[in-house]
Amino acid sequence: MKDLVFSGIQPTHELHIGNYIAALKQWAELQHKKCCFFCIVDLHAITVPQDPKKLRANILEAAAVYLAAGIDPTKCSIYIQSEVAEHTELAWILGTIGKVSELERMTQFKDKSKKQTQGVSAGLFTYPILMAADILLYDANQVPVGEDQMQHLELARVIARRFNERFGETFTIPQPLIQKVGARIMSLQDPEKKMSKSDPAESSKILLSDKPEIIRKKIMRAVTDTEGSVHFDPEKKPAVSNLMTLYHHTSGLSLKEIESEFKGKGYGDFKKALAEAVIAELSPIREKIESYRSNSSELERILDEGRDTAKEIAARKMKLVRERVGLGRA
Ligand code: AQP
């Protein structure tokens, strides 16, 4: 059987280079070899308050970004999570399989709940259950994610196994697909923090929509260390190692090749080369986002087709799940 890949991005804020390296870039490579479902996970987005008008705009923006990053709708399905209601139905059922104690261990919940000023929603707590439903609904066996999602994916595996043991073989156990280098891109201003869409500090992240002069400024201002050597050591030199990771993914050079290119040179030279490599990688994407965004009928058509394909598989799976659990009537 052909491998099935599922992955998604929340349409919250603008996407950054961390989302690109860990998710979109991997997706664009995978689509040539596997059957892929790439979802815009708007139901996940509302686990923290969203402005409804902005959310709708962000959903279409995310679809344009997927296409601009090279995701080809003739090779894979691109669709919006809330348009396939089976995601939420399965999430409810899996919520009776997952345990509160398991959800309480999720570090993302602990981090995100600290930032909520108007109380923490129950949806933020049960987010990993919905993520399990997203993946298990399609029997995805491969899930490309950044390192921050590994704990959620592990929970999806636990839930799938537990369901299969209780009700008989129903779900495929998914495996993570994680970049060897760059599974966690860090903030340009604080190498202890991951680069995050919702970080209010603009200089902490490189957005896919950033123009060349902004990219140059952000990289030239990125924190480094006092040692002055371009050397990969995430423990002792986390900031420089993070910048080297960005250079590795945008120049195609290995970490060793980067070290030898900048042997005896300072951070200034390295940052200039990094900025040009990032600009060369992201500029074509930025230009394409604009053109996909302005062709809304084409975007609508792609999202309709993706939804229909996803819905067919999801409906079949839910029929089986209802039977296994004993819901409704025969
Ligand atoms: N800094 C990162 N490095 C590598 N991968 C990352 N991802 C996110 N941040 C980094 C990966 O991008 C995919 C989509 O992420 P998401 O939209 O589902 O949510 P997130 O992990 O919560 O992303 P952000 O950017 O940090 O958003 P906010 O600030 O809204 O919470 C996932 O595969 C994720 O692993």
Side-chain angles (χ1 to χ4, degrees), residues 16-19 21-22 147 181-196 203-206 218-219 221-225 229-251 255 258-259 267 270-271 274-275 278:
H16 54 66
I17 196 165
N19 303 128
I21 289 172
E147 205 177 61
V181 181
R184 195 179 187 83
I185 300 293
M186 309 312 280
S187 157
L188 298 184
Q189 291 302 315
D190 178 357
E192 301 302 317
K193 259 174 47 185
K194 80 161 188 158
M195 188 179 284
S196 178
S203 52
S204 68
K205 54 195 173 183
I206 298 173
K218 286 182 177 175
I219 290 178
R221 283 182 196 159
V223 298
T224 47
D225 53 42
S229 74
V230 179
H231 170 61
F232 191 77
D233 184 342
E235 292 277 303
K236 296 197 187 109
K237 294 169 70 69
V240 172
S241 301
N242 188 42
L243 296 180
M244 287 180 73
T245 302
L246 294 181
Y247 195 50
H248 162 68
H249 279 285
T250 50
S251 68
L255 296 168
I258 298 171
E259 285 178 356
Y267 292 147
F270 169 56
K271 282 178 162 182
L274 169 62
V278 170

Side-chain angles (χ1 to χ4, degrees), residues 56-300:
R56 282 219 158 148
N58 283 343
I59 290 169
L60 288 184
E61 179 75 20
V65 172
Y66 284 16
L67 296 170
I71 310 305
D72 179 349
T74 65
K75 294 201 165 69
C76 48
S77 303
I78 301 174
Y79 69 101
I80 303 168
Q81 183 188 30
S82 63
E83 294 186 355
V84 180
E86 285 80 358
H87 285 249
T88 38
E89 187 186 355
L90 183 58
W92 178 262
I93 295 168
L94 297 183
T96 67
I97 307 289
K99 296 187 193 324
V100 169
S101 56
E102 288 163 341
L103 291 170
E104 279 170 344
R105 285 201 286 273
M106 298 293 121
T107 53
Q108 194 180 74
F109 172 71
K110 289 181 200 161
D111 293 346
K112 288 200 171 178
S113 51
K114 276 187 217 139
K115 295 182 196 155
Q116 301 312 307
T117 51
Q118 294 158 14
V120 179
S121 73
L124 189 62
F125 184 62
T126 54
Y127 175 118
I129 302 273
L130 178 59
M131 179 164 154
D134 298 338
I135 298 165
L136 303 184
L137 198 50
Y138 300 94
D139 280 321
N141 59 343
Q142 301 195 337
V143 183
V145 280
E147 205 177 61
D148 58 324
Q149 293 295 335
M150 285 292 281
Q151 202 185 19
H152 293 166
L153 190 64
E154 189 45 51
L155 182 59
R157 289 161 54 82
V158 168
I159 289 174
R161 275 196 219 103
R162 194 175 294 148
F163 188 103
N164 288 351
E165 274 161 27
R166 201 176 293 175
F167 298 108
E169 261 334 281
T170 307
F171 295 120
T172 300
I173 310 299
Q175 298 284 347
L177 280 182
I178 199 147
Q179 293 279 22
K180 283 195 191 79
V181 181
R184 195 179 187 83
I185 300 293
M186 309 312 280
S187 157
L188 298 184
Q189 291 302 315
D190 178 357
E192 301 302 317
K193 259 174 47 185
K194 80 161 188 158
M195 188 179 284
S196 178
K197 286 194 221 100
S198 57
D199 191 331
E202 283 304 320
S203 52
S204 68
K205 54 195 173 183
I206 298 173
L207 302 177
L208 301 188
S209 61
D210 279 343
K211 298 224 163 91
E213 58 277 19
I214 303 285
I215 295 177
R216 277 190 203 102
K217 255 193 214 147
K218 286 182 177 175
I219 290 178
M220 295 318 282
R221 283 182 196 159
V223 298
T224 47
D225 53 42
T226 50
E227 201 199 22
S229 74
V230 179
H231 170 61
F232 191 77
D233 184 342
E235 292 277 303
K236 296 197 187 109
K237 294 169 70 69
V240 172
S241 301
N242 188 42
L243 296 180
M244 287 180 73
T245 302
L246 294 181
Y247 195 50
H248 162 68
H249 279 285
T250 50
S251 68
L253 295 174
S254 69
L255 296 168
K256 282 271 160 269
E257 286 168 333
I258 298 171
E259 285 178 356
S260 53
E261 184 182 343
F262 294 99
K263 204 163 181 203
K265 294 184 188 161
Y267 292 147
D269 288 331
F270 169 56
K271 282 178 162 182
K272 273 186 207 144
L274 169 62
E276 294 320 307
V278 170
I279 290 166
E281 179 90 8
L282 298 190
S283 289
I285 298 176
R286 178 174 50 78
E287 284 156 19
K288 283 187 209 151
I289 294 173
E290 201 40 56
S291 90
Y292 282 115
R293 193 69 191 84
S294 59
N295 190 351
S296 60
S297 58
E298 176 66 357
L299 270 188
E300 300 285 350

